Amino acid sequence: MAKKILEVRNLRTYFHTFKGTVKAVDDVSFDINEGEILGVVGESGGGKSVTGFSVIRLIEEPGKIETGEIIYNGENLMKKSENQMNKVRGKDISMIFQDPMTSLNPVYTIGKQIEEVLLLHEKDLTKSQRKQKCIELLKSVGISNPESRMKSYPHQFSGGMRQRVVIATALAASPKLIIADEPTTALDVTIQAQILKLMQNLVEEHGCALMLITHDLAVISEIADRINVMYCGKIIETGNTKDIIKEYKHPYTEGLINSIPDLDKDKKKLESISGIVPNMFDLPEGCNFSPRCRYCKQICKEEEPELQQVGQSHYIACHFPLKGGEK
Amino acid sequence: MRRKITVIFLVMVLLVSLLTGCGSDTKTSSDSDTTDGNGSKEVVIALAGDAQSLDPYVLNETITNAINNHLYDQLVVPNRDLEIQPALAEDWEVSEDALTWTFYLREGVKFHNGNDFTADDVIYSFDRSLEEVSAFKYCLSTVESYKKVDDYTIEVVCNEPNALLLAHLKDLMILDKETCEGQTDEWIALNPNGTGRYKFVEHRRGDEIIFERNEDFWGESPEAEKVVFKPITNASTRTANMVSGAVNFITDVPVRDVESLESNDSINIITQPSLRVIYLNLAGWTDNPSPDADMPLKSPDGSNPFKNIKVREAIYRAINEDEIIENVMNGFATPAATYIPEGYNGYNPDIKRLDYDAELAEKLLDEAGYPRQDDGYRFEITLDSSNDRYINDAEIATAVAGYLEKVGIKVNLNLMSRSIFFNYIAGLNREGDNTHFCMTGWADSGGESALMGLDLVYSMSQDGYIKEGYGGVNRGYYQNPETDELIDRAIATVDPEERDSIMQEVWKIAADDISYIPLHFQNDIYAHDDSIIYHPRKDNYIYAWDIEFTN
Amino acid sequence: MFQYIIKRIFQLVLVLFLVSVLIFAFTSVMGNPVYLMVREDATEEEIKVVEEYLGLDKPIYVQYGVFIRNALQGDFGMSYMYHQSALGLIMERFPATLEIVLLAMFLAITIGIPLGVFSGAYSKKLFSKIVMTLSIAGISLPSFWIGMVMIILFSLTLGVLPVSGRGEMGTFLGIETSLATIDGLKHVILPAITLAIGNIAQIVRLTRGGMQESIRQDYVKFARAKGVPTRKVLFGHALKNTLIPVVTVFGLQLGSLIAFTTITETIFAWPGMGKLLIDAINSADRPIIAAYILFVAVMFVFINFVVDILYTIIDPRIDLNQ
């Protein structure tokens, strides 16, 4: 029985703007087990990133975590003070951001930025031990000549290299959980695969869990153990990767899977999900996906569907689950 | 929300400034003690400027001279009423023909460094006063030769009968030949060594000058043992120092502060008319006034209206001087009927001001042949004046222009900063003949109106001296052989009373001719705390020995 | 780097040359200073003698040539008014000006930057709004008004600080300065504050603007995600990125302060260079004016040079040789 490392219960993160309130994360609950890779997938604006930031409580005005429990290692993070949270961030749970070009501070050397994590969280290391560790970390993410490159500045690195540095930073204090927010989206396609592979290996090596947030279902299907599909702030389908990919039951998931281009098949047109993501200030009554769903019925427009179990650890929120199955 | 805070804040700022401005019960610290730790008597004086140099010959300027007079002595000095008294020269004789002067020097006088004062020092000082660096060359300008007769006797021969040599010599301070000979001018300025009542202690330029009493002074010892001069050019800061008790005495109190200072019980105000008279020059003795002026004189028929005495009288009467004194000078000025202040040699009490009478002025102008034209103006003139040299000079000039405009004279007001103004109206028209109507001030601390006559009303032509060196400030080109002759006679007259009556005549003639238009004498205003008593001097020189202590 | 320094020195010489020509051109229209040095009724001869003595009788380009020749030997001529070396007079007064300037800049940094950081980071809070309003006041209020109010408040009403003047001197690290004594500090604090207020306001606004932008950057969020405590995020990560414009303005302010402490020095009767300058202008004392302006030009160039070097230290992306 896998040990749960993170339990999120009824998380609600709302943004209060002068135009109105955006329910970016609306009553989301999920778990992450030790050492597993959870993929969180969905369109832009679906609430995936906000979920990630909420876990380490990095939500700023006008956003606010309204309610919910975030239980890490048995403790509710919502009850911790800012000082206590700072001990968790970077040490127990660390994060990888989307855009490597802007994640690193341009005025400090990369060595210093990695070292900062050690200074904060591994205080009993000596200066030379820290330096040694930084060099090892850089080596482990595949950066050659780490001794000299430690003194380089971010602008002297390419995008892919910078992301490696970011990964090294995230791993520096041996966290139990890494939240990766679209880590490869900003990279060239050729580099993407490399970075993903690297992350997968390291995560396995260090034995930490990974919450991989992305809009790219293809990427998820490669490395994730389980998948959460989010739409408009809600989880609408969750389950093992195999189940989701092969036996999806939600129309939205169907749309996502079908829109992955398949080089093996011969097709004239790319498939897409009709319609656009709704205005978050003006969500539809009933099911959020109803305006775009081809199976929409009257009840869908009136009543919001609850998550219901449709298989072993497979849940969806839909009034009319699909029969499921590969195309 | 932000705007509300801004408004509230600005209102508070205004309130604060109003309150602090109105607060009349400001605390004065008990600093007005005039004894320092050792119980020695010390006085702190705030002046309107610093001594430019402690080399007495470098600059001829009131503050510098007054400070240097503490360190150095002259052969003769003026007392508070400007009468000549013996100093380093104990006695003197003048020959019958007023050409040769013999001075008997005081014996037993020592310089601060212990050197003896002898005739050699006088000769050395005379020599130096004629050098390039000196601003006191005029002291010996009428002297043909001088020589040492013996260690304590000097003989001076003038090139013309000059009964007034002392008026010039009183400005010449005596240096020590042994100390100064062979040194650079810079060295002399930094190492003052004189025979005066005070010795030099320290000079922090722009901050303070410290003197201590010379215990071996040859004459009466002043009460103050230590004198500190603080140059504070900003009038408000000076006043603030007085109120806070940081100084015992301030000069040049601005008229607006007098009331608030007076309301303070421990502060006394002293005011008296100064020697400085503010007056208007008119180019009345030429057909071609100011050919180089930017804004020349314009009259309908091309003539020079100033030539007509009726015009001059009209201008005189058009100006309401009492109003100017009341409103511009806040009452701190004395109307002037002539250049000569009361109590001066040559002062003629019969010369009176022409009364203000704008109606009469208009009538006179009509009579003179300058009626109002279609645009309402009779003729156009330019009033040149400084705006930062004399007390409220810009305001006075503006008022004058206003009065003249009322009687139909168009006035272009041309105000300039002093450095440009004195250039513009430079004597002998060196920088061009630029002005036909200007406002200037004059103060002669010499006490001899014969010398003033020499400068101000002796005949002068537009093309240069008629008599070399005479009439240097006669900007109107007034020419009158009668007054010339009288002035010549006065200069050669040894008896002061006779001189006095001759000069009284000169000034009467000059006034009757309206060769210039006097406005007023500025007042000197001082303030001091009640730890001291101050006896002011007519020439606005501040001396520590005019100060006595009350306790 | 060596090449760069050489280039800058060459620029300095060029600037000084241009400045000297401008000084001569402008002061030649200022009027002949002789008339302020002789008495009003001076004769032609007296005037001529003074002119010759000062070298004013020669044509302007000859005067300029003499000036340059002497200047290259370090001699900027004798002041017309004081009859002492012009440069000597300036150097004599420079330490006093430097005292209030340094103290003012110190206040500007220690007060301005933290205020700017906090009002930038927490820009919606009341505290921030108050700071911004005060900074508008600081920039708009003229220094002579501030100086006067300070005197009225602290010297006259409360009686805790002296009205004007420089305090007693003491030695600190072998340098004689009035900052080394309590009495000296009492005298220097009001003029320094008067000078500083405008600068503090500028630095606050500049820092705040920069901070508001920096705070939004990803690297700040990333630092937070690493667990870096807020203070270090603000002052370590965000601030360093906003420093470039702040350092630029700081350099300019420093130069300006050194050159134009005139009003404050007049109000507080502070014996510094600014007072010397205004007196020299009033007396058309060209040697002092020329020496002063050239001195200030050297200061500005030097300060700018230091600022440029600082840039490279602050932001490693900057390459000076471009």
Side-chain angles (χ1 to χ4, degrees), chain A residues 212-243:
Chain A
L212 181 58
I213 302 171
T214 174
H215 61 268
D216 192 342
L217 197 48
V219 160
I220 292 262
S221 58
E222 300 277 324
I223 69 174
D225 296 322
R226 289 193 303 119
I227 298 182
N228 284 353
V229 183
M230 287 185 71
Y231 186 75
C232 290
K234 294 187 184 300
I235 297 181
I236 51 105
E237 186 160 4
T238 169
N240 295 328
T241 306
K242 220 159 124 236
D243 289 340

CSV table of all heavy atoms in Angstrom, one decimal, chain A residues 212-243:
chain,number,residue,atom,x,y,z
A,212,LEU,N,3.3,16.7,-12.2
A,212,LEU,CA,3.6,17.3,-13.5
A,212,LEU,C,2.4,17.9,-14.1
A,212,LEU,O,1.5,17.3,-14.4
A,212,LEU,CB,4.2,16.1,-14.4
A,212,LEU,CG,4.6,16.6,-15.8
A,212,LEU,CD1,5.7,17.6,-15.7
A,212,LEU,CD2,5.1,15.4,-16.5
A,213,ILE,N,2.5,19.2,-14.1
A,213,ILE,CA,1.4,20.0,-14.6
A,213,ILE,C,1.7,20.4,-16.1
A,213,ILE,O,2.7,20.9,-16.4
A,213,ILE,CB,1.2,21.3,-13.8
A,213,ILE,CG1,1.0,21.0,-12.4
A,213,ILE,CG2,0.0,22.1,-14.4
A,213,ILE,CD1,1.0,22.2,-11.5
A,214,THR,N,0.8,20.0,-17.0
A,214,THR,CA,1.0,20.4,-18.4
A,214,THR,C,-0.3,20.3,-19.2
A,214,THR,O,-1.3,19.7,-18.7
A,214,THR,CB,2.0,19.4,-19.0
A,214,THR,OG1,2.1,19.6,-20.4
A,214,THR,CG2,1.5,17.9,-18.8
A,215,HIS,N,-0.3,21.0,-20.3
A,215,HIS,CA,-1.5,20.9,-21.2
A,215,HIS,C,-1.3,19.8,-22.3
A,215,HIS,O,-2.1,19.6,-23.1
A,215,HIS,CB,-1.8,22.2,-21.8
A,215,HIS,CG,-0.7,22.7,-22.7
A,215,HIS,ND1,0.3,23.5,-22.2
A,215,HIS,CD2,-0.4,22.5,-24.0
A,215,HIS,CE1,1.2,23.8,-23.2
A,215,HIS,NE2,0.8,23.2,-24.3
A,216,ASP,N,-0.1,19.3,-22.2
A,216,ASP,CA,0.3,18.3,-23.3
A,216,ASP,C,0.0,16.9,-22.8
A,216,ASP,O,0.8,16.3,-22.1
A,216,ASP,CB,1.8,18.5,-23.6
A,216,ASP,CG,2.2,17.8,-24.9
A,216,ASP,OD1,1.5,16.9,-25.3
A,216,ASP,OD2,3.3,18.2,-25.4
A,217,LEU,N,-1.1,16.3,-23.3
A,217,LEU,CA,-1.5,15.0,-22.9
A,217,LEU,C,-0.5,14.0,-23.3
A,217,LEU,O,-0.2,12.9,-22.7
A,217,LEU,CB,-2.9,14.7,-23.4
A,217,LEU,CG,-3.6,13.5,-22.8
A,217,LEU,CD1,-3.6,13.6,-21.3
A,217,LEU,CD2,-5.0,13.5,-23.3
A,218,ALA,N,0.1,14.2,-24.5
A,218,ALA,CA,1.1,13.3,-25.0
A,218,ALA,C,2.3,13.1,-24.0
A,218,ALA,O,2.7,11.9,-23.7
A,218,ALA,CB,1.6,13.7,-26.3
A,219,VAL,N,2.7,14.2,-23.5
A,219,VAL,CA,3.9,14.1,-22.5
A,219,VAL,C,3.4,13.3,-21.3
A,219,VAL,O,4.1,12.4,-20.8
A,219,VAL,CB,4.3,15.5,-22.1
A,219,VAL,CG1,5.0,15.5,-20.8
A,219,VAL,CG2,5.1,16.2,-23.2
A,220,ILE,N,2.2,13.6,-20.8
A,220,ILE,CA,1.7,12.9,-19.6
A,220,ILE,C,1.7,11.4,-19.8
A,220,ILE,O,2.1,10.6,-19.0
A,220,ILE,CB,0.3,13.5,-19.2
A,220,ILE,CG1,0.5,14.9,-18.8
A,220,ILE,CG2,-0.3,12.6,-18.2
A,220,ILE,CD1,0.5,15.1,-17.3
A,221,SER,N,1.1,11.1,-21.0
A,221,SER,CA,0.9,9.7,-21.2
A,221,SER,C,2.2,8.9,-21.1
A,221,SER,O,2.2,7.7,-20.9
A,221,SER,CB,0.2,9.5,-22.5
A,221,SER,OG,1.0,10.0,-23.5
A,222,GLU,N,3.3,9.6,-21.5
A,222,GLU,CA,4.6,8.9,-21.5
A,222,GLU,C,5.1,8.5,-20.1
A,222,GLU,O,5.6,7.4,-19.8
A,222,GLU,CB,5.7,9.8,-22.1
A,222,GLU,CG,5.4,10.1,-23.6
A,222,GLU,CD,5.9,9.0,-24.5
A,222,GLU,OE1,6.9,8.4,-24.2
A,222,GLU,OE2,5.1,8.8,-25.5
A,223,ILE,N,5.0,9.5,-19.2
A,223,ILE,CA,5.7,9.3,-17.9
A,223,ILE,C,4.8,9.2,-16.6
A,223,ILE,O,5.3,8.8,-15.6
A,223,ILE,CB,6.8,10.3,-17.7
A,223,ILE,CG1,6.3,11.7,-17.4
A,223,ILE,CG2,7.7,10.4,-18.9
A,223,ILE,CD1,7.4,12.7,-17.0
A,224,ALA,N,3.6,9.7,-16.7
A,224,ALA,CA,2.8,9.8,-15.5
A,224,ALA,C,2.3,8.4,-15.0
A,224,ALA,O,2.0,7.6,-15.9
A,224,ALA,CB,1.7,10.8,-15.7
A,225,ASP,N,2.2,8.3,-13.7
A,225,ASP,CA,1.5,7.1,-13.2
A,225,ASP,C,0.0,7.3,-13.1
A,225,ASP,O,-0.7,6.4,-13.5
A,225,ASP,CB,2.0,6.8,-11.7
A,225,ASP,CG,3.5,6.5,-11.7
A,225,ASP,OD1,4.0,5.8,-12.7
A,225,ASP,OD2,4.2,6.9,-10.8
A,226,ARG,N,-0.4,8.4,-12.6
A,226,ARG,CA,-1.8,8.7,-12.6
A,226,ARG,C,-2.0,10.1,-13.2
A,226,ARG,O,-1.1,10.9,-13.4
A,226,ARG,CB,-2.3,8.7,-11.1
A,226,ARG,CG,-2.4,7.3,-10.5
A,226,ARG,CD,-3.1,7.3,-9.2
A,226,ARG,NE,-2.6,8.2,-8.3
A,226,ARG,CZ,-3.3,9.2,-7.7
A,226,ARG,NH1,-4.6,9.4,-8.1
A,226,ARG,NH2,-2.8,10.0,-6.9
A,227,ILE,N,-3.3,10.3,-13.6
A,227,ILE,CA,-3.6,11.6,-14.2
A,227,ILE,C,-4.8,12.2,-13.6
A,227,ILE,O,-5.8,11.6,-13.3
A,227,ILE,CB,-3.9,11.4,-15.7
A,227,ILE,CG1,-2.7,10.8,-16.4
A,227,ILE,CG2,-4.3,12.7,-16.4
A,227,ILE,CD1,-2.9,10.6,-17.9
A,228,ASN,N,-4.8,13.6,-13.4
A,228,ASN,CA,-6.0,14.4,-13.1
A,228,ASN,C,-6.3,15.2,-14.3
A,228,ASN,O,-5.4,16.0,-14.8
A,228,ASN,CB,-5.7,15.3,-11.9
A,228,ASN,CG,-5.7,14.6,-10.6
A,228,ASN,OD1,-6.0,13.4,-10.5
A,228,ASN,ND2,-5.3,15.3,-9.5
A,229,VAL,N,-7.5,15.2,-14.8
A,229,VAL,CA,-7.9,16.1,-15.9
A,229,VAL,C,-8.7,17.2,-15.3
A,229,VAL,O,-9.7,17.0,-14.6
A,229,VAL,CB,-8.7,15.4,-16.9
A,229,VAL,CG1,-9.0,16.3,-18.1
A,229,VAL,CG2,-8.0,14.1,-17.5
A,230,MET,N,-8.2,18.4,-15.5
A,230,MET,CA,-9.0,19.6,-14.9
A,230,MET,C,-9.6,20.4,-16.0
A,230,MET,O,-9.0,20.6,-17.1
A,230,MET,CB,-8.0,20.5,-14.1
A,230,MET,CG,-7.6,19.8,-12.8
A,230,MET,SD,-6.6,20.9,-11.8
A,230,MET,CE,-7.8,22.1,-11.3
A,231,TYR,N,-10.8,21.0,-15.7
A,231,TYR,CA,-11.4,21.9,-16.6
A,231,TYR,C,-12.1,23.0,-15.8
A,231,TYR,O,-12.9,22.7,-14.9
A,231,TYR,CB,-12.4,21.2,-17.5
A,231,TYR,CG,-13.0,22.0,-18.5
A,231,TYR,CD1,-12.3,22.4,-19.7
A,231,TYR,CD2,-14.3,22.5,-18.4
A,231,TYR,CE1,-12.8,23.2,-20.6
A,231,TYR,CE2,-14.9,23.3,-19.4
A,231,TYR,CZ,-14.1,23.7,-20.5
A,231,TYR,OH,-14.7,24.5,-21.4
A,232,CYS,N,-11.8,24.2,-16.0
A,232,CYS,CA,-12.4,25.4,-15.4
A,232,CYS,C,-12.4,25.2,-13.8
A,232,CYS,O,-13.4,25.4,-13.2
A,232,CYS,CB,-13.8,25.6,-15.8
A,232,CYS,SG,-13.9,26.2,-17.5
A,233,GLY,N,-11.3,24.8,-13.3
A,233,GLY,CA,-11.1,24.8,-11.9
A,233,GLY,C,-11.6,23.6,-11.2
A,233,GLY,O,-11.5,23.5,-10.0
A,234,LYS,N,-12.1,22.6,-11.9
A,234,LYS,CA,-12.5,21.4,-11.3
A,234,LYS,C,-11.8,20.2,-11.9
A,234,LYS,O,-11.5,20.2,-13.1
A,234,LYS,CB,-14.0,21.2,-11.5
A,234,LYS,CG,-14.9,22.2,-10.8
A,234,LYS,CD,-16.4,21.9,-10.9
A,234,LYS,CE,-17.3,22.9,-10.3
A,234,LYS,NZ,-17.0,23.1,-8.9
A,235,ILE,N,-11.7,19.1,-11.1
A,235,ILE,CA,-11.2,17.9,-11.6
A,235,ILE,C,-12.4,17.1,-12.2
A,235,ILE,O,-13.3,16.8,-11.5
A,235,ILE,CB,-10.5,17.0,-10.6
A,235,ILE,CG1,-9.3,17.7,-10.0
A,235,ILE,CG2,-10.1,15.7,-11.1
A,235,ILE,CD1,-8.6,16.9,-8.9
A,236,ILE,N,-12.3,16.9,-13.5
A,236,ILE,CA,-13.4,16.2,-14.1
A,236,ILE,C,-13.2,14.7,-14.4
A,236,ILE,O,-14.1,14.0,-14.7
A,236,ILE,CB,-13.9,16.9,-15.4
A,236,ILE,CG1,-12.7,17.2,-16.3
A,236,ILE,CG2,-14.5,18.3,-15.1
A,236,ILE,CD1,-12.7,16.3,-17.5
A,237,GLU,N,-11.9,14.3,-14.4
A,237,GLU,CA,-11.6,12.9,-14.5
A,237,GLU,C,-10.3,12.6,-13.8
A,237,GLU,O,-9.4,13.4,-13.9
A,237,GLU,CB,-11.6,12.4,-15.9
A,237,GLU,CG,-11.5,10.9,-16.1
A,237,GLU,CD,-11.9,10.4,-17.5
A,237,GLU,OE1,-12.3,11.3,-18.3
A,237,GLU,OE2,-11.9,9.2,-17.7
A,238,THR,N,-10.2,11.5,-13.1
A,238,THR,CA,-8.9,11.1,-12.5
A,238,THR,C,-8.8,9.6,-12.4
A,238,THR,O,-9.8,8.9,-12.2
A,238,THR,CB,-8.8,11.8,-11.1
A,238,THR,OG1,-7.7,11.2,-10.4
A,238,THR,CG2,-10.0,11.5,-10.3
A,239,GLY,N,-7.6,9.2,-12.6
A,239,GLY,CA,-7.4,7.7,-12.6
A,239,GLY,C,-6.0,7.3,-13.0
A,239,GLY,O,-5.1,8.2,-13.3
A,240,ASN,N,-5.7,6.0,-13.1
A,240,ASN,CA,-4.4,5.6,-13.6
A,240,ASN,C,-4.2,6.0,-15.1
A,240,ASN,O,-5.2,6.2,-15.8
A,240,ASN,CB,-4.3,4.1,-13.6
A,240,ASN,CG,-4.4,3.5,-12.2
A,240,ASN,OD1,-3.9,4.2,-11.3
A,240,ASN,ND2,-5.0,2.4,-12.1
A,241,THR,N,-3.0,6.2,-15.4
A,241,THR,CA,-2.7,6.6,-16.8
A,241,THR,C,-3.4,5.7,-17.9
A,241,THR,O,-4.0,6.2,-18.8
A,241,THR,CB,-1.2,6.7,-17.0
A,241,THR,OG1,-0.6,7.5,-16.0
A,241,THR,CG2,-0.9,7.3,-18.4
A,242,LYS,N,-3.2,4.4,-17.7
A,242,LYS,CA,-3.7,3.5,-18.6
A,242,LYS,C,-5.2,3.7,-18.8
A,242,LYS,O,-5.7,3.8,-19.9
A,242,LYS,CB,-3.4,2.1,-18.1
A,242,LYS,CG,-3.0,1.1,-19.2
A,242,LYS,CD,-2.3,-0.1,-18.7
A,242,LYS,CE,-3.1,-1.3,-19.2
A,242,LYS,NZ,-3.6,-2.3,-18.5
A,243,ASP,N,-5.9,3.8,-17.6
A,243,ASP,CA,-7.3,3.9,-17.7
A,243,ASP,C,-7.7,5.2,-18.5
A,243,ASP,O,-8.6,5.2,-19.3
A,243,ASP,CB,-7.9,4.0,-16.3
A,243,ASP,CG,-7.9,2.7,-15.5
A,243,ASP,OD1,-7.7,1.7,-16.3
A,243,ASP,OD2,-7.9,2.7,-14.3
